[in-house]
Amino acid sequence: MTRPAHASAGEMMTVAAARALKDGDRCFVGIGKPSTAANLARRTHAPRLVLVYESGTIGAKPGRLPLSIGDGILAETADTVVSVPEIFNYWLQPGRIDVGFLGAAQLDRFGNINTTVIGDDYADPRVRLPGAGGAPEIAASCREVIVIVTHSRRTFVEKVDFVTSVGFGAGPGDRERHGLRGTGPRLVVTDLGVLAPDPETCELTLTHLHPGVTRDQARAATGWELRIATDLTTTEPPSETELSVLRALEEA
Amino acid sequence: MTRPAHASAGEMMTVAAARALKDGDRCFVGIGKPSTAANLARRTHAPRLVLVYESGTIGAKPGRLPLSIGDGILAETADTVVSVPEIFNYWLQPGRIDVGFLGAAQLDRFGNINTTVIGDDYADPRVRLPGAGGAPEIAASCREVIVIVTHSRRTFVEKVDFVTSVGFGAGPGDRERHGLRGTGPRLVVTDLGVLAPDPETCELTLTHLHPGVTRDQARAATGWELRIATDLTTTEPPSETELSVLRALEEA
Amino acid sequence: MGEITTLSDAVARLVHDGDTIALEGFTHLIPVAAGHEIIRQGRRDLTLVRMTPDIVYDQLIGAGCARKLIFSWAGNPGVGSLHRFRDAAQHGWPAPLEIEEHSHAGMANRYAAGAAGLPFAVLRGYTGTDLPAQTATIKPITCPFTGEVLTAVPALNPDVAIVHAQRADRDGNVQIWGITGVHKEVVLASRTSLVTVEEIVDELEPRPGAIVLPGWTVDYVAHVPGGARPSYAMGYYDRDNVFYQAWDDISRDRDAFQAWLRSEVLS
Amino acid sequence: MGEITTLSDAVARLVHDGDTIALEGFTHLIPVAAGHEIIRQGRRDLTLVRMTPDIVYDQLIGAGCARKLIFSWAGNPGVGSLHRFRDAAQHGWPAPLEIEEHSHAGMANRYAAGAAGLPFAVLRGYTGTDLPAQTATIKPITCPFTGEVLTAVPALNPDVAIVHAQRADRDGNVQIWGITGVHKEVVLASRTSLVTVEEIVDELEPRPGAIVLPGWTVDYVAHVPGGARPSYAMGYYDRDNVFYQAWDDISRDRDAFQAWLRSEVLS
């Protein structure tokens, strides 16, 4: 029934992220792939997924994919709409959200994220990126974080130029030391596979390769010596249902 | 035209308080005489008076006197209704309110107010009063305060048993020392007359006697040696309009 | 999460001896029926939290449920004193009552800090008053930017929040309009929560001025029409001002109070 | 107080060279027309404050109005980078741009503290990131009750707040619905304010989800239909996503940008 050949790398990535969401989870959603993945999950295995957008829309049930985190359709379909100070203070900060989605311009082996500047000098950056947005507090306060990011040496770096959002800092115990109450990145979903932190060392470890991707491809796209799980698994390709729902979503 | 004989001491008191409100003022209103006075002012000389109640109703225009600060009619007629944290944090605290009304169980010559306990021992009070409510912050943050209180030695005391809300503290400069941003009590309206702080000493000084009241009566009802203004004036008795509007309000 | 059950079941599951509980409602939507259920279930040693302890707390205190009261204004609004509260505070009857006393601004901020997952809140308040000398939960705090000294109060995170609301849907989403007070804050600040409602409906039709608490923020919803009487529920019934006045006489005397309690709550 | 005037008059009265101004709107109701009026009036050395500087700030920066940017996310939402912002930040064109960088939570709390008349706000934020090392307006603060260390940020109190809204009445009372963002906070935090609106009506009919800013909290109201385009005004028009995409090309090149500015804003 499954026709993996039909799925692009981007589609595989979105489907893998969607599967990581459990029914009933409260999910803090950014625009782009996170929003697509969350809406896909809500239409497949997780109909009671609660979508929370930083624009203040709680329990949004958009009939089509929003193009921004503040689209009107989010407000129109939400259980309630609150102010931006309230969404951060009363909803994100106390740990009411189960899963936060983040992207990254750079990511290191401990899941620390840079979305601020590329280059060594903050005052004179090589590339000025958009900055933090909601990410530092999403990374701090959600029960767990899922990172969605394209796999390349430009992104998967030995050391991020700027820590915008903390993953596991310098390793085990660092989140506790910083008083961060969520458990940090649970998964990093890429176009090549899936990484998860080693329970002992917190180092991101390749646990899944998407169909047709090799270990060497993943190693070559990673800017540090990539650890590979002993039980490395091939990701289940997107099902017919997942693909058709995803495509319908993206066309709507 | 005026028929002072018709006005009770309580009516005189309410009318005197109402007159102290200027059109366009934002007024933080407590229940009882303050609410009556503010509603009287809105129906006579101050049609654009903005009534703010601590229940979160801003710009309420009740058609009859509310019996509590949270009556439905306040919400139904308000320009906007906000939460209780918001009314204190965004509206009272920053100094957006021009006039705050306060009552008192005890009041001293510097306009300090007790509504907490009667007796020397807080832990074992002679009389346990309701407590602070919104008063400490109303006294601190409104541009100015009007106190409405019945004149008696039980109330007008040499020293309050407990400072629930600060008037002028121990005298000139004390409000600044405490960082209180409003200017403190402007008027104390009683059933006998009106007191105002001396501009030099901050001591409450009798500036008006209501019609038919003598200096001796005021002195006898005051628990400290009452200072009397050199230009002591007799309060203008309630006009026919003031009385009829007030009575209509109280009967509605 | 938003489970619909009976009032007695919800109170039995949530409220235990020694708990810190907050029944909120700022004049409007006071959960009086839930207070009576706590009295009937005979809870003891409760720490009662409420900005404006009015007659429902007077009843809980008089019935001997309370060990401590955290509050900012304890009176019968528009009528006068709370006689059961005064009897407990002044004479220790039926049990001594410890008090922790704040202002409204302080209490509202304590709930807001609790809802926000912060250990404390900052406000301009209390300065120059005698409250900080009596209340350990009022402390100075210095602005790290300007050096200005302000006031800090600790978060309130009760074991149980109980509020009344107009409506819930079958998923336990709760809709509240009119004066919303600290309803949202106390529910979000507390470890568990119960909302009693006038109506359970298939769908919450949007209304001007309404807030919604998603079902996943509420533990139990109980259908208790009239559950806020003698306070009011906008759109359902008005405040019973006559009862507030009558309470002055009922509560003034220990025997009269106990007779009332037996006939109106316990029987 | 709630005075109804023209856009050009209001901007001329309120916005002066060197001022700190905040044009807010979280995706929704961004006061783009007011931004263009500021460009036309040739203001210089502005400190621009905004959580999500998007194309209207890209335009103000490219037009040389800005000296400094205080922000939390500077991008073209759903499209990519802000090229005029990057050109100023990386190459100082047309003028050097000082930046003060926060997170959304920090900025939202800075406005909230400003609205509340407090010098600072407390949040759980920034800890472990490199932001505190670069941004002087992020400092640790210790809870006086638990000893826990949290983060403090100073209040934002701009000279001028500018927002767009759906409606105002003739007394200048402003009604806003849909995503309300930080509209209330920025207006209450700022020394002066201007609200541009789609419609001026005789009476503000209550609407679900709407907030109202009383006319006395607003200095000027200007009737500017379409004043939020290419962002959107719920109930009036949708977001012009095509223009957001087109902006990427227009803004990438200095000459193309200047040609656009001349033909679309200055003429």
Side-chain angles (χ1 to χ4, degrees):
Chain A
M1 276 295 280
T2 60
R3 292 187 290 179
H6 285 192
S8 70
E11 286 171 338
M12 181 71 255
M13 201 169 161
T14 303
V15 167
R19 288 176 185 160
L21 297 170
K22 289 192 298 295
D23 199 20
D25 272 356
R26 279 89 72 166
C27 183
F28 209 85
V29 187
I31 218 61
K33 284 229 176 327
S35 179
T36 309
N39 279 287
L40 172 59
R42 206 175 67 78
R43 275 177 179 66
T44 52
H45 67 283
R48 294 179 67 89
L49 192 71
V50 178
L51 309 192
V52 181
Y53 290 80
E54 66 189 14
S55 55
T57 53
I58 298 172
K61 293 165 277 289
R64 51 182 160 74
L65 290 179
L67 287 163
S68 80
I69 47 82
D71 273 21
I73 199 168
L74 300 176
E76 284 157 9
T77 62
D79 292 329
T80 185
V81 180
V82 302
S83 74
V84 164
E86 182 177 326
I87 199 76
F88 284 101
N89 288 348
Y90 282 7
W91 300 86
L92 177 63
Q93 181 167 271
R96 271 178 238 291
I97 310 294
D98 298 302
V99 183
F101 269 114
L102 293 175
Q106 290 183 328
L107 178 85
D108 71 18
R109 72 177 71 206
F110 289 117
N112 301 302
I113 288 173
N114 175 15
T115 55
T116 303
V117 287
I118 304 292
D120 289 340
D121 186 355
Y122 174 82
D124 185 17
R126 197 139 50 75
V127 184
R128 174 65 235 193
L129 301 166
E137 287 75 26
I138 293 171
S141 295
C142 289
R143 197 190 66 211
E144 59 186 35
V145 166
I146 298 175
V147 183
I148 307 191
V149 65
T150 304
H151 215 138
S152 81
R153 276 185 179 264
R154 224 180 59 180
T155 303
F156 282 64
V157 297
E158 178 65 39
K159 189 177 179 317
V160 292
D161 292 339
F162 191 97
V163 178
T164 312
S165 306
V166 179
F168 298 102
D174 241 30
R175 288 189 68 87
E176 293 73 13
R177 256 194 298 286
H178 290 309
L180 308 177
R181 303 202 292 182
T183 56
R186 173 165 67 91
L187 289 181
V188 176
V189 179
T190 83
D191 48 336
L192 302 184
V194 175
L195 299 86
D198 180 280
E200 298 285 309
T201 65
C202 295
E203 183 174 332
L204 292 176
T205 303
L206 188 72
T207 61
H208 292 72
L209 280 174
H210 298 327
V213 181
T214 67
R215 294 171 181 234
D216 283 350
Q217 280 177 288
R219 279 202 192 92
T222 304
W224 67 82
E225 202 180 322
L226 180 65
R227 285 172 49 101
I228 297 180
T230 48
D231 57 348
L232 179 72
T233 309
T234 300
T235 315
E236 185 71 24
S239 72
E240 196 65 32
T241 305
E242 285 169 332
L243 264 191
S244 62
V245 172
L246 172 57
R247 287 172 184 177
L249 259 178
E250 292 192 317
E251 279 158 20
Chain B
M1 274 293 284
T2 60
R3 292 189 290 179
H6 285 191
S8 71
E11 286 171 336
M12 181 70 256
M13 201 170 161
T14 304
V15 167
R19 288 175 185 162
L21 298 171
K22 288 191 298 297
D23 199 20
D25 272 356
R26 280 90 70 168
C27 183
F28 209 84
V29 187
I31 219 59
K33 285 230 176 328
S35 179
T36 309
N39 279 288
L40 173 58
R42 207 175 66 77
R43 275 179 179 65
T44 51
H45 65 284
R48 293 179 66 91
L49 192 71
V50 178
L51 309 192
V52 181
Y53 290 80
E54 66 190 13
S55 56
T57 53
I58 298 172
K61 293 165 276 290
R64 50 181 161 72
L65 289 179
L67 287 163
S68 79
I69 47 83
D71 273 20
I73 199 168
L74 300 176
E76 283 157 10
T77 62
D79 292 328
T80 185
V81 181
V82 302
S83 74
V84 165
E86 182 176 325
I87 199 75
F88 284 100
N89 289 347
Y90 283 6
W91 299 87
L92 177 63
Q93 180 167 269
R96 271 178 238 290
I97 310 294
D98 298 303
V99 182
F101 269 114
L102 293 175
Q106 289 183 329
L107 178 84
D108 70 17
R109 71 176 73 205
F110 290 118
N112 302 302
I113 288 173
N114 176 15
T115 56
T116 302
V117 287
I118 304 292
D120 289 340
D121 187 355
Y122 174 81
D124 184 18
R126 198 139 51 76
V127 183
R128 174 67 235 191
L129 301 166
E137 287 76 26
I138 293 171
S141 296
C142 290
R143 196 190 68 210
E144 59 186 35
V145 166
I146 298 175
V147 184
I148 306 191
V149 65
T150 304
H151 215 137
S152 81
R153 278 187 178 258
R154 224 179 57 178
T155 303
F156 283 65
V157 297
E158 178 65 40
K159 189 178 178 318
V160 294
D161 291 339
F162 191 96
V163 179
T164 311
S165 307
V166 179
F168 298 102
D174 242 30
R175 288 188 68 87
E176 294 72 14
R177 256 193 298 286
H178 290 308
L180 308 177
R181 303 203 292 183
T183 55
R186 174 165 66 92
L187 289 181
V188 176
V189 178
T190 82
D191 48 335
L192 302 184
V194 176
L195 299 86
D198 180 279
E200 299 285 310
T201 66
C202 295
E203 182 173 333
L204 291 176
T205 304
L206 188 72
T207 61
H208 292 73
L209 279 173
H210 297 327
V213 181
T214 66
R215 294 170 182 234
D216 283 349
Q217 280 176 288
R219 281 203 191 93
T222 304
W224 67 84
E225 202 179 322
L226 180 65
R227 285 170 50 100
I228 297 181
T230 48
D231 56 349
L232 180 71
T233 310
T234 300
T235 315
E236 184 72 22
S239 71
E240 196 65 33
T241 304
E242 284 168 332
L243 262 192
S244 63
V245 172
L246 172 58
R247 287 173 183 177
L249 260 178
E250 290 192 318
E251 278 157 19
Chain C
M1 290 309 182
E3 186 182 332
I4 295 173
T5 184
T6 63
L7 175 59
S8 61
D9 180 58
V11 167
R13 293 203 209 184
L14 293 181
V15 184
H16 309 101
D17 287 352
D19 276 357
T20 297
I21 69 170
L23 278 67
E24 275 295 352
F26 206 80
T27 308
H28 185 211
L29 297 171
I30 300 174
V32 178
H36 291 176
E37 182 59 31
I38 293 167
I39 293 174
R40 275 192 294 275
Q41 295 194 11
R43 295 284 69 78
R44 287 294 176 272
D45 294 321
L46 299 175
T47 294
L48 297 178
V49 188
R50 184 169 158 74
M51 292 183 67
T52 55
D54 66 346
I55 67 178
V56 64
Y57 269 33
D58 214 30
Q59 293 161 5
L60 281 156
I61 291 165
C65 303
R67 184 187 72 74
K68 181 175 177 180
L69 178 67
I70 301 176
F71 75 108
S72 40
W73 192 86
N76 184 343
V79 179
S81 296
L82 291 179
H83 301 295
R84 296 298 95 227
F85 160 66
R86 278 173 72 154
D87 205 7
Q90 296 177 222
H91 310 116
W93 191 93
L97 184 70
E98 188 186 337
I99 64 174
E100 179 177 328
E101 187 163 5
H102 279 267
S103 69
H104 280 352
M107 286 292 284
N109 274 291
R110 297 187 67 185
Y111 283 130
L118 292 174
F120 71 105
V122 177
L123 71 156
R124 296 184 184 280
Y126 302 102
T127 323
T129 77
D130 286 340
L131 282 161
Q134 299 300 339
T135 302
T137 46
I138 302 170
K139 290 195 177 183
I141 190 161
T142 303
C143 173
F145 302 100
T146 64
E148 194 182 352
V149 179
L150 297 106
T151 300
V153 288
L156 277 167
N157 295 105
D159 296 311
V160 191
I162 304 180
V163 296
H164 191 73
Q166 281 100 340
R167 299 197 291 213
D169 66 18
R170 296 185 199 287
D171 293 330
N173 299 302
V174 172
Q175 191 183 39
I176 309 161
W177 66 86
I179 288 166
T180 57
V182 290
H183 265 50
K184 182 183 277 189
E185 284 74 17
V186 73
V187 167
L188 295 183
S190 297
R191 292 196 305 100
T192 63
S193 57
L194 160 63
V195 183
T196 58
V197 296
E198 289 298 324
E199 266 195 286
I200 293 179
V201 297
D202 288 329
E203 190 151 1
L204 297 174
E205 181 201 346
R207 278 189 73 104
I211 62 169
V212 170
L213 288 170
W216 54 271
T217 65
V218 173
D219 290 271
Y220 296 106
V221 170
H223 183 209
V224 188
R229 290 185 194 277
S231 82
Y232 75 106
M234 185 180 265
Y236 293 83
Y237 44 88
D238 289 336
R239 192 166 187 267
D240 183 355
N241 292 305
V242 171
F243 185 81
Y244 277 88
Q245 275 149 6
W247 184 250
D248 198 57
D249 276 340
I250 295 167
S251 62
R252 196 177 291 270
D253 178 82
R254 291 178 186 174
D255 291 338
F257 165 72
Q258 290 185 309
W260 177 87
L261 198 63
R262 278 191 301 272
S263 76
E264 302 300 321
V265 177
L266 297 173
S267 65
Chain D
M1 288 309 182
E3 186 183 332
I4 296 173
T5 184
T6 63
L7 175 59
S8 62
D9 180 58
V11 167
R13 292 204 209 184
L14 294 181
V15 184
H16 309 100
D17 288 353
D19 275 358
T20 296
I21 69 170
L23 277 67
E24 276 294 352
F26 206 80
T27 309
H28 186 209
L29 297 171
I30 301 174
V32 178
H36 292 177
E37 183 59 29
I38 293 168
I39 293 175
R40 275 192 294 275
Q41 296 194 12
R43 294 283 70 77
R44 288 292 176 271
D45 294 321
L46 300 175
T47 293
L48 297 178
V49 188
R50 183 169 159 76
M51 293 183 67
T52 55
D54 66 347
I55 66 179
V56 64
Y57 270 32
D58 214 29
Q59 293 161 3
L60 281 156
I61 291 165
C65 303
R67 183 187 72 72
K68 180 176 177 180
L69 179 67
I70 300 176
F71 75 108
S72 41
W73 192 86
N76 184 342
V79 179
S81 295
L82 290 180
H83 302 295
R84 295 298 94 227
F85 160 66
R86 278 172 74 154
D87 204 7
Q90 296 177 221
H91 311 114
W93 190 93
L97 185 70
E98 188 186 337
I99 64 174
E100 179 178 328
E101 188 163 5
H102 278 267
S103 68
H104 280 353
M107 285 291 284
N109 274 291
R110 295 186 68 184
Y111 282 130
L118 293 174
F120 70 105
V122 177
L123 72 156
R124 296 184 182 280
Y126 303 101
T127 323
T129 77
D130 286 340
L131 281 161
Q134 299 300 339
T135 303
T137 46
I138 302 171
K139 290 196 178 182
I141 189 160
T142 303
C143 173
F145 302 100
T146 65
E148 195 182 353
V149 179
L150 297 106
T151 300
V153 289
L156 276 167
N157 295 105
D159 296 310
V160 191
I162 305 181
V163 297
H164 190 73
Q166 281 101 339
R167 299 198 291 215
D169 66 18
R170 295 182 201 287
D171 292 331
N173 299 301
V174 172
Q175 192 184 38
I176 308 162
W177 65 87
I179 289 166
T180 56
V182 290
H183 265 50
K184 182 182 279 188
E185 284 74 16
V186 73
V187 168
L188 296 184
S190 298
R191 292 197 304 100
T192 63
S193 57
L194 160 63
V195 183
T196 58
V197 297
E198 290 298 323
E199 267 194 286
I200 292 178
V201 297
D202 289 328
E203 189 151 0
L204 297 175
E205 182 200 344
R207 278 189 73 106
I211 61 170
V212 171
L213 288 170
W216 53 271
T217 65
V218 173
D219 290 272
Y220 296 106
V221 170
H223 183 211
V224 188
R229 291 183 194 278
S231 83
Y232 75 105
M234 184 179 267
Y236 292 83
Y237 45 86
D238 289 335
R239 193 168 186 266
D240 183 356
N241 292 304
V242 171
F243 184 80
Y244 278 88
Q245 275 149 8
W247 184 250
D248 198 58
D249 277 339
I250 297 167
S251 62
R252 197 178 290 270
D253 178 81
R254 291 178 186 172
D255 291 339
F257 165 72
Q258 290 185 308
W260 177 87
L261 199 63
R262 276 191 303 273
S263 76
E264 302 300 321
V265 177
L266 297 174
S267 67

